[in-house]
Amino acid sequence: GALAFITLDRPETRNSFDLSMGLALRDVVRTLITDPPRVVVLRSSGAHFMVGGDVRHFDTLLKVSKAACAAELEQLISAVNEAVIGLTQLPCPVLGLISGSAAGFGLSLAVACDLIVAAEDASFLMAYSAIGATPDGGGTWHLPRHVGLHRAMAIALLNPKLDARQAKEIGLVAEVVANDELQTAGLTMAHRLANGPVAAQAGIKRLLRDGLGYDLKSALEAEKAKFIEMSATSDF
């Protein structure tokens, strides 16, 4: 239909990320690319969006050979990368609904969304350096584009835990709502987008995302071509 829902569903582990979830996320994004909805809603079950990678499983990787560890991480991160690229390339808005903790890859996945609605209890934490790791899932690409280079450096190196209001103030979040209103507010925004000019919204998403890599002349040419293309649609 108009809306497609992706639900992170390991609430017993606070939706910590493992290989099975990575492969499932990749596969559902592949499905959406073949048949795009008007809006994708990315949400979670339980109290937390995602607390990052499953560190208990990472602990087991320390006990196998370095080659075996690298092979599994290669498979996991490759699945993650394909999913994140797919979400950014979908010709429709991707709306993230964040409650509880979005940490590690949870933060990377959240900031890959086009819009975020956060519950008042939401928190955002980079967390990677706390376990001696570097970010994945596009966190180092999206974060400085949302908040600027120096602030992204502070978030990544110092690991401050940002609450929902702070995240909104620095540009990570579009709207903050009461905890018990998150699903309703998210659906309201999703339906508003789904009932909007679908082709134009797809064009806006593409121009804004591609424009991050354009010089001004290229951006102006892309805008001109897209405006002329939109003028021939029924939405116009």
Side-chain angles (χ1 to χ4, degrees), residues 12 20 47 56 73 76 84 98 131 138-139 162-163 177 188 190 206 212 227:
E12 69 282 359
S20 63
R56 290 177 298 181
L73 292 176
L76 172 61
V84 168
I98 312 298
I131 61 167
L162 304 173
D163 63 31
V177 299
T188 297
R206 193 74 278 128
L212 294 170
F227 193 97

Side-chain angles (χ1 to χ4, degrees), residues 159-181:
N159 287 318
K161 186 176 182 179
L162 304 173
D163 63 31
R165 298 292 176 185
Q166 290 170 317
K168 187 174 189 298
E169 287 172 3
I170 65 174
L172 284 181
V173 168
E175 187 176 341
V176 177
V177 299
N179 297 342
D180 60 358
E181 294 176 2

Side-chain angles (χ1 to χ4, degrees), residues 151-162:
R151 185 171 276 145
M153 283 283 188
I155 291 170
L157 293 173
L158 302 176
N159 287 318
K161 186 176 182 179
L162 304 173

Side-chain angles (χ1 to χ4, degrees), residues 1-5 31-33 35-41 90-93 194 198:
L3 307 182
F5 295 90
T31 299
L32 293 174
I33 287 172
D35 184 19
R38 289 173 175 254
V39 180
V40 172
V41 179
L90 278 168
C92 64
V198 174

Side-chain angles (χ1 to χ4, degrees), residues 2-10 15 17 20-33 35-37 39-46 48-50 79-80 82-90 92-99 105 109-110 112-114 182-183 187 190 205:
L3 307 182
F5 295 90
I6 303 174
T7 305
L8 308 175
D9 192 25
R10 295 184 73 210
N15 292 315
F17 204 74
S20 63
M21 186 185 278
L23 295 173
L25 180 62
R26 178 202 65 188
D27 291 346
V28 76
V29 172
R30 284 179 175 177
T31 299
L32 293 174
I33 287 172
D35 184 19
V39 180
V40 172
V41 179
L42 177 61
R43 61 186 183 179
S44 60
S45 60
H48 297 277
F49 179 72
M50 182 193 289
V80 161
E82 182 179 338
V84 168
I85 290 171
L87 290 173
T88 64
Q89 290 182 341
L90 278 168
C92 64
V94 177
L95 174 62
L97 306 185
I98 312 298
S99 60
F105 177 63
L109 185 59
C113 296
D114 299 310
L182 178 62
Q183 299 304 317
L187 283 175
K205 173 175 176 173

Side-chain angles (χ1 to χ4, degrees), residues 64-78:
V64 301
S65 69
K66 290 183 178 179
C69 175
E72 181 164 331
L73 292 176
E74 165 71 27
Q75 187 180 15
L76 172 61
I77 296 174
S78 293

